[in-house]
Amino acid sequence: LAKTTQPISMDSYEGQEVNITCSHNNIATNDYITWYQQFPSQGPRFIIQGYKTKVTNEVASLFIPADRKSSTLSLPRVSLSDTAVYYCLVGDISYNFNKFYFGSGTKLNVKP
Amino acid sequence: NAGVTQTPKFRVLKTGQSMTLLCAQDMNHEYMYWYRQDPGMGLRLIHYSVGEGTTAKGEVPDGYNVSRLNKREFSLRLESAAPSQTSVYFCASLTGGEGAYGYTFGSGTRLTVV
């Protein structure tokens, strides 16, 4: 299972773009990269998933370079409500269904 | 609404008491999980199930028992609660294919053992 490394915390201001990078140097060929968001007292919720290049949805963008050894979650124009913990998961459901590791994530603090 | 439902949402137990946390999903997912989350920490896997009638230990299984009653329901039982089991418990289901995957989490059960 690919080990992931992400910053423990980040600060931002309302209206700014926030980029959170996750390193996963030993990512396997069939692994997908997924980001989850967790608000206090709630379960994590899916934000975005990708395999390569760029993925965009209504909430965020995910940038994955050609070597796939890292990925960057981009949140455009954050608001106070984006204050949360963000987790990067890397794996393949076929092999990692019992090993996905949420870790401590990145705690994003958005200030007014 | 489709999703994962956990009951109860809050509970206070005395040391030595027992209780069962219930989880149900209506998305027809095979995989189900129980996690615990302590303050400021990530999620730690307690037990999981890959299908009806199957269960397996996760990272921190001691003190907990689970039952996969059917495809929808996955319960977590504390036989003799201890203060160290004070935590927020999350149930989740997982689906996917060809490498891709996606978790759906319940809203959690906040358990305090005094």
Side-chain angles (χ1 to χ4, degrees), chain B residues 17 20 25 34 38 60 64 75 77 83 88 102 114:
Chain B
Q17 287 185 317
T20 300
Q25 53 96 3
W34 278 104
D38 300 319
V60 288
Y64 305 95
S75 64
R77 182 161 178 84
V88 180
V114 297

Side-chain angles (χ1 to χ4, degrees), chain B residues 1-6 22-33 49 51-52 68 70-74 91-95 104-106:
Chain B
N1 290 335
V4 176
T5 303
Q6 289 184 237
L22 300 175
C23 174
Q25 53 96 3
D26 56 5
M27 297 169 288
N28 207 36
H29 292 173
E30 291 291 342
Y31 303 115
M32 295 187 73
Y33 304 81
S49 169
E52 183 178 346
R68 182 74 180 269
N70 47 54
K71 194 168 188 179
R72 291 187 64 248
E73 298 171 305
F74 190 38
C91 177
S93 67
L94 178 70
T95 190
T104 302
F105 281 84

Side-chain angles (χ1 to χ4, degrees), chain A residues 32 36 38 49 91 97-98 103, chain B residues 33 37 42 48 99 101 103 110:
Chain A
Y32 278 73
Y36 284 80
Q38 186 180 26
Q49 184 175 84
F97 59 87
N98 62 338
Chain B
Y33 304 81
Q37 186 172 39
Y48 65 96
Y101 51 89
Y103 280 96
R110 185 174 296 275

Side-chain angles (χ1 to χ4, degrees), chain A:
Chain A
L1 182 68
K3 176 177 164 52
T4 60
T5 303
Q6 51 184 123
I8 294 173
S9 64
M10 295 180 68
D11 289 333
S12 181
Y13 290 93
E14 281 192 293
Q16 289 186 331
E17 178 184 74
V18 171
N19 295 309
I20 306 174
T21 296
C22 179
S23 298
H24 29 81
N25 290 320
N26 59 338
I27 188 169
T29 301
N30 294 329
D31 286 351
Y32 278 73
I33 301 156
T34 312
W35 286 81
Y36 284 80
Q37 174 190 56
Q38 186 180 26
F39 298 115
S41 302
Q42 295 185 27
R45 69 169 187 141
F46 175 92
I47 302 177
I48 196 165
Q49 184 175 84
Y51 182 79
K52 61 181 179 180
T53 63
K54 177 184 174 182
V55 180
T56 298
N57 61 23
E58 65 277 6
V59 176
S61 294
L62 178 59
F63 297 92
I64 304 169
D67 67 4
R68 304 203 322 127
K69 293 182 183 299
S70 66
S71 58
T72 299
L73 173 71
S74 181
L75 304 172
R77 298 180 298 281
V78 295
S79 64
L80 296 176
S81 63
D82 292 314
T83 293
V85 177
Y86 293 83
Y87 298 96
C88 167
L89 268 66
V90 175
D92 170 354
I93 188 173
S94 300
Y95 298 101
N96 306 131
F97 59 87
N98 62 338
K99 300 187 185 69
F100 285 115
Y101 177 65
F102 279 83
S104 298
T106 297
K107 185 174 174 57
L108 174 64
N109 184 30
V110 180
K111 303 175 184 178

